[in-house]
Amino acid sequence: MIHLKKVTYLLCLLFSSLLFSHPLPNTMVNLSVQSKSILMKIQVPRQNFEIAFKSKVTGNQTTEITKYFSDHIQIEDENHQFWKMVFLDYRIQSNTAEFVGKYDEILFRVKFLPNKNSNVRDFTIHYDAVMHEITNHQALVYVASDWENGLHDDSQQIGIIGIDVPTNTIYPLHISLANGSQWKGFKSMVALGMQHISEGTDHLLFLLVLLLSAPLISNEKKWIGSGRTKYSLIRILKIATAFTIGHSITLIIGAFGILNPNTKPVEILIALSILITAIHAIKPIFPHKEIYVASGFGLIHGLAFATILSNLDLDSSQLTLSLLGFNIGIELMQLLVIVLVMPWFLLLSPFKIYKWVRIIGAFLAGIASIAWASERYFEKANGISILIQNSSHQAIGFVLGLACLAIFFRIITPKSGY
């Protein structure tokens, strides 16, 4: 009876596969090269895998799937010794492909641990999963992450595994990766931190709006004037440092997996942090407490930063250096933004025109924050968020315009009461 059920199930799968006008996509094998192991992520169309597995995949078949991969995937070192395989987990997810449309696939995660004297950058993959049953199926092999060579966001295809038709043989794939270094990996993390901030319009906008009021003095209810240069510089330094401390704490906590919050509420809170600071820039709602607010909201922004590193599949030694490099990159870009923008805020702050620069800037930032919050809550772009995305490359024009305005008023306009 059991064999009859299996045969019936396989026949149904094979029949359903004929309903597709085009074959399902091939398997994608993504390798993450760690300092002492290789993490393999295998994406297989669910229908094809179930034909080879001879059973429907559910959520409680780890033992059976582990045995399947042990029989069909091995890594061999240059000494012809096989590495230890550790099956981690699997999940079913949806994907979309041209000609096929939407289909289910299974993502498997497998880790290979080299032998004591093995070179983790030189090995051979023996692989015949799925293709031992579906002969026209192939596995496309990519290096998705190679920290020591600075590769972390641009997968590189390094080979294809499939049946060689003339010999009816599945040949192993030899992989020899270029030697990298910890210094190269560290530099790539600094660059990644700078890139993340330069492209993270919401993070930059939060910092800029918070700094809008840095040169000003309040009487608890309203902004009443501009402080001296020394006063303003000290405030700017304190606010930027508080934000740095805040996001550094949660960056470390999140990157090491101590705290893994849902990204959706974090992104919504980041948008709301801009709205709150925009209101404060118009009328002080937390006077003399900007440092605490910057550190508090920094904690939230740090959780978003942490998702970047947690998605890189780094081991502990790589992660430690990555945290340092990524954080340095963030600070360098923040410092660059402050240096480019704050001199013009300081020059304009004694003049009445700065009131309108501050109010208009805060008002536009508030609109942007609401648009982002809506987009992230409903998971659907809106007209304003699309406009912001399309105009984000105009940042240099904004800085030049602000500089021209500051120089113009500094030259021709006498100081007036705030």
Side-chain angles (χ1 to χ4, degrees):
M1 180 64 71
I2 295 176
H3 293 297
L4 180 61
K5 287 182 177 180
K6 285 187 175 182
V7 170
T8 303
Y9 177 71
L10 287 172
L11 288 174
C12 290
L13 282 175
L14 290 169
F15 176 75
S16 64
S17 67
L18 297 176
L19 298 179
F20 283 91
S21 58
H22 298 275
L24 285 166
N26 288 305
T27 290
M28 304 281 286
V29 177
N30 292 289
L31 307 178
S32 294
V33 184
Q34 301 177 337
S35 60
K36 296 180 180 180
S37 63
I38 297 291
L39 177 64
M40 184 182 290
K41 291 183 178 180
I42 308 167
Q43 295 170 249
V44 191
R46 181 179 183 177
Q47 181 176 308
N48 286 351
F49 182 79
E50 289 179 342
I51 291 173
F53 189 54
K54 296 181 173 57
S55 175
K56 184 177 178 62
V57 175
T58 61
N60 57 353
Q61 294 167 287
T62 301
T63 301
E64 294 87 346
I65 290 175
T66 299
K67 184 180 184 310
Y68 176 84
F69 279 116
S70 297
D71 293 338
H72 295 284
I73 307 176
Q74 290 179 319
I75 286 185
E76 180 185 17
D77 63 21
E78 65 275 18
N79 298 317
H80 305 294
Q81 295 183 340
F82 293 111
W83 295 3
K84 179 182 178 181
M85 189 199 82
V86 179
F87 184 83
L88 300 178
D89 53 41
Y90 68 97
R91 70 171 185 265
I92 299 170
Q93 58 191 22
S94 295
N95 204 343
T96 304
E98 190 177 5
F99 302 122
V100 176
K102 191 173 182 180
Y103 67 97
D104 284 346
E105 69 176 14
I106 311 176
L107 172 63
F108 303 97
R109 296 198 316 139
V110 181
K111 178 170 284 192
F112 287 90
L113 306 176
N115 300 307
K116 184 177 181 180
N117 297 319
S118 298
N119 183 355
V120 76
R121 310 187 68 79
D122 193 322
F123 53 90
T124 299
I125 299 177
H126 297 265
Y127 185 107
D128 70 346
V130 178
M131 61 189 74
H132 67 94
E133 288 288 341
I134 304 176
T135 56
N136 64 343
H137 192 77
Q138 293 180 321
L140 311 181
V141 184
Y142 295 82
V143 174
S145 173
D146 183 359
W147 185 84
E148 290 188 1
N149 274 311
L151 177 67
H152 44 70
D153 57 359
D154 186 19
S155 296
Q156 297 179 356
Q157 185 171 346
I158 56 174
I160 299 175
I161 301 175
I163 292 181
D164 180 64
V165 176
T167 62
N168 196 32
T169 303
I170 301 175
Y171 290 105
L173 176 65
H174 180 71
I175 296 174
S176 181
L177 302 172
N179 289 326
S181 67
Q182 290 190 334
W183 172 242
K184 193 172 183 179
F186 176 78
K187 287 194 300 181
S188 74
M189 290 297 104
V190 174
L192 182 62
M194 296 182 70
Q195 175 187 343
H196 183 66
I197 290 297
S198 65
E199 296 176 353
T201 311
D202 50 356
H203 299 296
L204 288 177
L205 192 57
F206 168 77
L207 183 62
L208 289 175
V209 175
L210 194 58
L211 293 174
L212 266 177
S213 59
L216 303 181
I217 301 172
S218 72
N219 66 353
E220 305 295 337
K221 295 183 179 179
K222 65 178 182 178
W223 302 112
I224 59 175
S226 173
R228 295 180 178 272
T229 301
K230 182 179 179 180
Y231 164 86
S232 301
L233 290 176
I234 290 175
R235 289 244 300 169
I236 292 167
L237 179 62
K238 288 181 177 179
I239 290 171
T241 302
F243 182 63
T244 296
I245 293 173
H247 75 64
S248 296
I249 291 172
T250 45
L251 173 59
I252 294 171
I253 292 174
F256 278 104
I258 300 172
L259 182 63
N260 294 301
N262 191 310
T263 56
K264 181 175 178 178
V266 169
E267 293 296 333
I268 293 173
L269 285 173
I270 288 174
L272 294 179
S273 72
I274 300 171
L275 178 61
I276 293 171
T277 52
I279 295 172
H280 176 72
I282 296 173
K283 183 177 180 179
I285 56 176
F286 41 84
H288 313 303
K289 296 181 177 64
E290 289 87 353
I291 296 173
Y292 305 109
V293 172
S295 60
F297 283 138
L299 294 172
I300 298 171
H301 285 245
L303 291 174
F305 297 154
T307 60
I308 303 297
L309 294 184
S310 61
N311 290 333
L312 296 182
D313 298 319
L314 304 174
D315 60 27
S316 56
S317 61
Q318 293 172 340
L319 184 55
T320 301
L321 280 175
S322 296
L323 278 168
L324 178 60
F326 189 73
N327 219 19
I328 288 174
I330 291 173
E331 304 320 316
L332 287 175
M333 185 54 66
Q334 286 182 172
L335 181 61
L336 177 61
V337 171
I338 291 172
V339 168
L340 288 175
V341 174
M342 284 312 301
W344 316 122
F345 284 176
L346 293 175
L347 284 177
L348 279 172
S349 61
F351 299 94
K352 193 171 184 179
I353 185 66
Y354 187 67
K355 174 182 179 180
W356 297 107
V357 171
R358 174 174 53 81
I359 291 175
I360 293 172
F363 180 74
L364 293 176
I367 292 176
S369 68
I370 294 172
W372 278 327
S374 173
E375 177 186 63
R376 293 165 186 181
Y377 180 80
F378 294 106
E379 299 180 0
K380 183 178 180 181
N382 52 67
I384 297 175
S385 64
I386 293 173
L387 178 63
I388 295 169
Q389 181 67 30
N390 293 337
S391 59
S392 59
H393 63 282
Q394 301 294 335
I396 297 298
F398 161 75
V399 174
L400 291 175
L402 185 64
C404 291
L405 184 67
I407 294 171
F408 174 80
F409 275 90
R410 195 74 179 184
I411 293 174
I412 70 167
T413 306
K415 293 183 181 180
S416 58
Y418 191 75

